[in-house]
């Protein structure tokens, strides 16, 4: 029995001796981490991969912000506030909605809620292209429209069938004001059939109509 107790005591001593250096080392390591750690992980800041990731993210954010500013994402068109008569007319036909800047702005606001604002942006860009007469300006604008709305690499790519895409690709060999006419018509038809009915039942349209109706009654 005494021999067994001595053996157990010796095992415990040996175990304690083995654990002590490791524990001390761990505590020392933890101390270093605590004093030099970055805000993302327990590692040495001088070689912290998290800092690299953070720097990359910040650089990407700055670059994205700069690109958006350079790109000049168009704001809503300038227009006077719509009248009750105009807003009622929007319900009569999609053409009447798209005829006025106020109608396009309201519809564009709705498209933004459905993540399909690029359809209106593309349509507006095509309308702007048609107003150009300078050959070099036409070529530059056509290239930008293609990159922004036709390229499959663009996050703002519009939905077009293969036939229309083939027409555009041929037209881009010698761009003109009418390079995207077929595509513009297809997107116009898509907005008319798909988005317009939902817009007429949306809170955006109904709230605007109610607000103007109340103002009309008060007047």
């Amino acid at each position: 029995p005494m021999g067994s107790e001595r053996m157990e005591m010796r095992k415990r001593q040996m175990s304690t001796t083995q654990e002590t250096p490791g524990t001390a080392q761990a505590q020392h390591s933890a101390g270093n981490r605590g004093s030099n750690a970055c805000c993302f992980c327990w590692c040495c800041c001088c070689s912290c991969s998290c800092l690299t990731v953070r720097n990359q993210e910040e650089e990407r954010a700055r670059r994205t912000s700069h690109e958006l500013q350079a790109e000049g994402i168009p704001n809503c068109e300038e227009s006077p506030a719509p009248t009750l008569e105009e807003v009622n007319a929007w319900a009569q036909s999609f053409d009447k909605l798209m005829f006025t800047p106020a109608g396009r702005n309201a519809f564009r606001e709705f498209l933004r809620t459905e993540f399909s604002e690029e359809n209106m942006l593309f349509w507006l860009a095509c309308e702007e292209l048609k107003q150009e007469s300078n050959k070099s300006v036409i070529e530059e604008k056509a290239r930008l429209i293609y990159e922004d709305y036709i390229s499959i690499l663009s996050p703002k790519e519009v939905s077009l069938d293969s036939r229309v895409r083939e027409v555009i690709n041929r037209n881009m060999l010698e761009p003109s004001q009418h390079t995207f006419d077929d595509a513009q018509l297809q997107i116009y038809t898509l907005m008319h059939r798909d988005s317009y009915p939902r817009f007429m039942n949306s809170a955006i349209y109904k709230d605007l109509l109610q607000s103007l109706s109340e103002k009309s009654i008060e007047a």
Side-chain angles (χ1 to χ4, degrees):
M2 290 295 293
S4 298
E5 291 179 2
R6 290 195 186 94
M7 289 179 64
E8 289 297 326
M9 186 178 297
R10 188 176 297 111
K11 287 180 182 179
R12 285 197 295 269
Q13 289 174 346
M14 291 176 64
S15 176
T16 302
T17 303
Q18 291 173 352
E19 290 176 359
T20 301
T23 303
Q25 183 178 359
Q27 291 174 347
H28 177 71
S29 178
N32 288 339
R33 288 196 299 263
S35 61
N36 296 319
C38 72
C39 57
F40 289 94
C41 68
W42 292 101
C43 57
C44 180
C45 279
C46 62
S47 61
C48 177
S49 61
C50 287
L51 286 179
T52 303
V53 172
R54 182 173 60 182
N55 291 336
Q56 290 174 346
E57 290 295 333
E58 290 175 352
E59 176 61 27
R60 187 178 297 112
R62 286 193 296 269
R63 185 168 61 250
T64 301
S65 176
H66 174 74
E67 288 172 353
L68 289 176
Q69 292 174 4
E71 184 179 335
I73 294 177
N75 296 317
C76 288
E77 300 172 81
E78 292 185 5
S79 69
T83 64
L84 179 59
E85 182 181 4
E86 286 177 329
V87 175
N88 277 319
W90 298 348
Q92 296 173 14
S93 73
F94 184 59
D95 290 341
K96 289 186 177 181
L97 170 69
M98 293 289 285
F99 180 74
T100 64
R104 292 192 294 269
N105 284 339
F107 186 50
R108 179 176 168 183
E109 181 181 353
F110 169 74
L111 292 176
R112 191 179 296 121
T113 67
E114 292 200 335
F115 305 100
S116 58
E117 185 184 13
E118 65 275 2
N119 290 331
M120 178 63 80
L121 295 176
F122 171 68
W123 189 87
L124 290 171
C126 291
E127 287 295 293
E128 184 179 326
L129 178 65
K130 290 177 182 178
Q131 306 305 315
E132 294 294 342
S133 57
N134 184 287
K135 188 174 184 298
S136 61
V137 174
I138 289 172
E139 291 177 350
E140 177 63 14
K141 286 192 173 184
R143 182 185 64 80
L144 291 174
I145 290 174
Y146 188 93
E147 291 177 355
D148 285 346
Y149 305 108
I150 309 302
S151 171
I152 60 174
L153 300 177
S154 173
K156 295 184 293 183
E157 178 194 7
V158 296
S159 179
L160 300 170
D161 62 36
S162 57
R163 180 193 66 81
V164 171
R165 286 183 175 277
E166 289 175 2
V167 170
I168 292 174
N169 288 333
R170 288 198 300 270
N171 291 343
M172 286 299 292
L173 296 175
E174 195 170 340
S176 72
Q177 299 101 316
H178 305 288
T179 292
F180 303 100
D181 281 4
D182 287 351
Q184 185 185 21
L185 177 59
Q186 189 168 97
I187 293 302
Y188 188 91
T189 303
L190 175 65
M191 291 191 292
H192 183 190
R193 294 178 178 176
D194 186 57
S195 303
Y196 173 63
R198 290 197 299 276
F199 169 71
M200 298 311 303
N201 291 312
S202 70
I204 291 176
Y205 177 74
K206 291 180 177 179
D207 289 349
L208 179 59
L209 185 62
Q210 181 179 352
S211 174
L212 292 173
S213 296
E214 291 174 353
K215 288 181 180 179
S216 177
I217 294 173
E218 291 173 358

